C-alpha cells in the first residue's frame, strides 16, 4: 500500500533489510542518542524473570533449553535482532535487520549493558536445596521493544524452553525466510492515517499551548537535586515482592474504590514526590506534571495485535499532560496524620483515574498518537561524536529515577 511504502521492509543488500522508523521509534532513538554522552542508554528496556526447576528436568540441561528457546524466538520474532542507525544519505534513522544469530550470555552481571542488539542474560544462583534457580534478563534499546512486548517475548521464551525440556529432540528453526515476519511500526500496525484534517491540526496547536501554559507561574515538583558526580553512578533496582495474601488485599482495596493498580500507583508517585520537596517556613503549592503511556496493541490489526509481534513499539504517549496541584506543608507542620493522607490519596487517585479514562474514551487518540510523539521529540544529533552538551547537562539537573516492579501473583 503506497500510504505505508516508506515503512515496508526492503532488502537493500544481500541479507540486509531496512525500513524507515515512525515517530514512536524516533522518540526513543533520539533520546538515546542525545544522552549518549552520559555513558548510559536513555529509556533502555530491562525485563526479567526469576525461575526455578525442581526434580528431574530431562536429558536437556536448562541452559541448552533456554538457548534453543531463544533461537526459536529469534526466528519467530526476527525484529528482536534488529537495530536503528542513522543513514547519512537520506538524513534519517532506519531500522535494520541482518540474519545472523545473537545468542544470550551467561554469568553474574551487576548492571547488564545495553548492547547494539537486544541481548538475553542468564544469571544463575546457588541454591542449597539442589533446585536450579536463575534469572533471565533482557536488555534492549526501547526503539526495538516496549514493556508489554517484553512480557509477551519472555512468556514465549519460557513456552519454548518448556517444550525443549519435555522434548529435547524438537527440531530447531531453519533460517532464511524469517524476514517475512519482521514487524512494521505502529503507524502501519494500527492503520494510522498519514496526515491530520484541519480540525485535528487545530486541536494539536491548542494542546501545545495548553501544555506550555500549565508550567507558568507555579513551582513544578521535581526530584531534589544533589550536587555530586556529573555522570550516573551504579544503578540499582529494588523489588517489592507481595505474597498472595498481600496481593489479594491490594486488589480488593483498589477495586473497592473503583480504580486500577495503575491509577493508585501513579497517584502514589505524585504524593511521594511532593513529600520529597524541601519544606520552608510556610506551606506552598507545587504542581506535579507527567504523562501516560498507553498500550495500543488492542487497536492494531491482526496479527500485530497478538504476541506474534512482541518485538515492536506498539504504544502511544498521552497528548495532554497529567496535572495535579499539591500542597507542601511548612517545616513546622506536624498535623498531617494517616486519615488526612488517606483522603488526599483518594482525591489524587480520582484525578489520575479521570485523566486515564479521558484518554481511553478519546476515539481520535490513536490517529493523533504519532503527532504527540513528534511534539516530544527533540532534534536528532546526527554528528559522529556523542553529544557533549548532554554530559554538561548532568551538572544542572538530576536524571535519577526510581523504578519499582509490582509483581502481582
Amino acid at each position: 500500500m503506497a500510504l505505508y511504502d516508506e515503512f515496508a521492509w526492503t532488502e537493500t543488500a544481500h541479507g540486509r533489510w531496512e525500513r524507515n522508523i515512525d515517530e514512536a521509534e524516533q522518540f526513543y532513538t533520539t533520546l538515546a542518542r542525545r544522552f549518549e554522552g552520559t555513558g548510559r542508554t536513555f529509556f533502555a528496556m530491562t525485563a526479567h524473570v526469576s525461575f526455578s526447576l525442581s526434580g528431574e528436568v530431562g536429558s536437556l540441561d536448562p541452559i541448552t533449553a533456554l538457548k534453543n528457546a531463544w533461537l526459536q524466538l529469534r526466528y519467530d520474532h526476527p525484529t528482536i535482532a534488529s537495530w536503528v542507525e542513522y543513514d547519512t544519505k537520506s538524513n534519517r534513522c532506519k531500522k535494520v535487520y541482518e540474519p545472523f544469530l545473537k545468542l544470550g550470555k551467561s554469568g553474574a552481571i551487576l548492571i547488564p549493558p545495553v548492547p547494539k542488539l537486544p541481548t538475553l542474560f542468564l544469571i544463575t544462583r546457588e541454591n542449597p536445596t539442589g533446585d536450579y534457580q536463575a534469572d533471565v534478563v533482557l536488555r534492549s534499546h526501547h526503539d526495538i521493544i516496549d514493556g508489554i512486548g517484553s512480557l509477551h517475548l519472555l512468556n514465549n521464551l519460557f513456552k519454548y524452553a518448556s517444550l525443549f525440556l519435555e522434548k529435547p529432540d524438537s527440531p530447531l528453526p531453519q533460517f532464511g525466510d524469517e524476514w517475512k515476519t519482521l514487524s512494521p511500526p505502529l503507524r502501519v500496525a494500527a492503520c494510522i492515517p498519514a496526515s491530520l484534517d484541519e480540525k485535528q491540526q487545530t486541536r494539536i496547536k491548542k494542546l501545545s499551548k495548553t501544555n506550555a501554559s500549565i508550567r507558568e507561574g507555579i513551582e513544578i515538583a521535581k526530584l531534589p537535586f544533589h550536587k555530586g558526580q556529573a555522570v550516573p553512578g551504579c544503578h540499582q533496582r529494588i523489588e517489592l515482592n507481595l505474597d498472595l495474601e498481600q496481593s489479594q488485599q491490594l486488589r480488593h482495596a483498589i477495586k473497592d474504590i473503583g480504580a486500577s493498580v495503575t491509577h493508585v500507583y501513579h497517584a502514589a508517585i505524585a504524593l511521594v514526590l511532593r513529600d520529597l520537596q524541601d519544606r520552608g517556613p510556610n506551606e506552598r503549592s507545587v504542581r506535579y506534571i507527567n504523562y501516560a503511556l498507553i498500550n495500543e496493541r488492542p487497536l492494531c490489526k491482526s496479527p500485530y495485535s497478538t504476541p506474534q509481534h512482541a518485538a515492536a513499539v506498539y504504544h502511544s504517549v498521552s497528548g495532554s499532560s497529567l496535572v495535579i496541584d499539591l500542597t507542601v506543608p511548612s517545616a513546622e507542620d506536624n498535623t498531617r496524620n494517616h486519615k488526612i493522607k488517606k483522603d488526599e490519596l483518594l482525591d489524587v487517585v480520582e484525578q489520575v483515574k479521570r485523566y486515564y479514562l479521558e484518554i481511553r474514551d478519546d476515539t481520535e487518540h490513536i490517529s493523533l498518537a504519532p503527532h504527540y510523539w513528534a511534539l516530544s521529540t527533540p532534534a536528532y544529533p546526527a554528528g559522529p561524536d556523542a553529544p557533549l552538551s548532554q554530559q554538561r547537562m548532568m551538572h544542572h539537573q538530576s536524571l535519577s529515577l526510581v523504578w519499582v516492579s509490582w509483581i502481582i501473583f
Side-chain angles (χ1 to χ4, degrees):
M1 190 181 299
L3 177 62
Y4 302 121
D5 279 352
E6 64 173 308
F7 300 121
W9 287 96
T10 303
E11 191 173 21
T12 58
H14 180 66
R16 181 181 173 94
W17 299 82
E18 298 181 2
R19 68 163 170 82
N20 288 336
I21 62 176
D22 72 351
E23 293 84 350
E25 296 165 320
Q26 185 68 63
F27 172 82
Y28 292 115
T29 295
T30 299
L31 288 184
R33 175 60 177 165
R34 284 179 66 86
F35 286 90
E36 195 173 296
T38 66
R40 296 301 169 96
T41 302
F42 202 105
F43 276 131
M45 285 298 304
T46 301
H48 93 278
V49 174
S50 299
F51 70 97
S52 63
L53 294 172
S54 59
E56 296 294 330
V57 295
S59 60
L60 198 64
D61 67 277
I63 294 180
T64 302
L66 283 169
K67 284 185 176 180
N68 289 349
W70 179 248
L71 191 63
Q72 183 66 55
L73 213 63
R74 165 70 175 74
Y75 178 84
D76 289 351
H77 308 282
T79 321
I80 200 61
S82 64
W83 68 91
V84 177
E85 63 181 45
Y86 186 79
D87 179 39
T88 56
K89 293 182 179 179
S90 61
N91 292 323
R92 65 179 300 172
C93 295
K94 292 181 177 292
K95 186 164 283 192
V96 180
Y97 171 76
E98 293 180 355
F100 57 84
L101 303 183
K102 179 72 175 182
L103 295 179
K105 300 179 180 180
S106 62
I109 301 174
L110 181 60
I111 309 175
V114 186
K116 177 180 178 179
L117 289 175
T119 301
L120 200 67
F121 296 87
L122 178 64
I123 305 172
T124 58
R125 289 181 275 125
E126 293 185 4
N127 182 21
T129 65
D131 295 345
Y132 183 87
Q133 294 188 346
D135 299 286
V136 167
V137 181
L138 174 70
R139 291 282 277 166
S140 171
H141 287 265
H142 210 332
D143 49 30
I144 301 299
I145 197 169
D146 58 18
I148 298 297
S150 297
L151 295 177
H152 286 322
L153 193 78
L154 290 180
N155 188 55
N156 290 344
L157 175 73
F158 279 90
K159 283 183 179 178
Y160 282 126
S162 298
L163 172 65
F164 284 111
L165 282 174
E166 295 173 2
K167 300 179 180 180
D169 296 330
S170 297
L172 294 174
Q174 299 298 313
F175 286 78
D177 61 350
E178 77 284 355
W179 61 268
K180 295 179 180 179
T181 54
L182 286 165
S183 299
L186 177 64
R187 266 193 177 275
V188 177
C191 301
I192 299 176
S195 60
L196 301 177
D197 58 33
E198 185 176 349
K199 183 178 179 181
Q200 290 172 326
Q201 292 176 8
T202 301
R203 178 177 172 179
I204 289 289
K205 292 178 181 178
K206 182 179 179 181
L207 181 68
S208 298
K209 292 181 180 179
T210 300
N211 285 342
S213 67
I214 62 177
R215 297 179 177 273
E216 298 174 354
I218 193 168
E219 179 184 351
I220 307 301
K222 300 178 181 178
L223 284 172
F225 172 73
H226 300 290
K227 292 183 178 180
Q229 293 181 328
V231 294
C234 177
H235 287 192
Q236 183 177 2
R237 289 170 169 82
I238 301 175
E239 292 181 347
L240 175 63
N241 292 305
L242 305 181
D243 59 29
L244 180 59
E245 182 179 356
Q246 291 172 319
S247 298
Q248 289 177 340
Q249 290 176 348
L250 177 64
R251 293 173 60 188
H252 290 323
I254 292 174
K255 185 177 181 180
D256 287 344
I257 61 174
S260 70
V261 173
T262 299
H263 301 151
V264 175
Y265 185 66
H266 207 153
I269 292 175
L271 290 171
V272 169
L273 184 61
R274 186 277 311 276
D275 289 342
L276 290 175
Q277 305 305 299
D278 292 333
R279 292 193 182 191
N282 302 308
E283 70 175 26
R284 69 186 191 280
S285 296
V286 297
R287 178 165 288 171
Y288 172 77
I289 301 177
N290 213 320
Y291 62 95
L293 297 177
I294 300 95
N295 174 33
E296 300 294 1
R297 279 174 167 77
L299 294 184
C300 294
K301 63 182 180 180
S302 182
Y304 310 123
S305 58
T306 72
Q308 294 180 35
H309 286 267
V313 185
Y314 290 165
H315 66 273
S316 66
V317 66
S318 56
S320 59
S321 297
L322 170 63
V323 178
I324 299 176
D325 289 325
L326 300 162
T327 300
V328 177
S330 67
E332 299 181 354
D333 185 357
N334 296 317
T335 62
R336 294 172 55 78
N337 56 42
H338 177 72
K339 185 176 187 304
I340 294 176
K341 281 197 171 184
K342 179 180 177 181
D343 291 343
E344 190 174 36
L345 174 62
L346 292 176
D347 177 64
V348 176
V349 167
E350 190 60 32
Q351 293 182 59
V352 173
K353 178 182 174 181
R354 287 199 301 268
Y355 173 74
Y356 275 92
L357 292 181
E358 286 176 1
I359 299 172
R360 184 199 67 182
D361 297 337
D362 182 3
T363 57
E364 287 193 324
H365 175 81
I366 190 63
S367 297
L368 299 173
H371 303 275
Y372 292 156
W373 282 117
L375 288 173
S376 304
T377 306
Y380 183 87
D385 299 322
L388 296 179
S389 61
Q390 305 309 321
Q391 291 182 339
R392 292 194 292 270
M393 284 180 63
M394 297 297 296
H395 288 278
H396 305 292
Q397 60 179 308
S398 170
L399 296 180
S400 300
L401 295 176
V402 179
W403 295 91
V404 181
S405 298
W406 288 83
I407 302 177
I408 307 298
F409 295 93

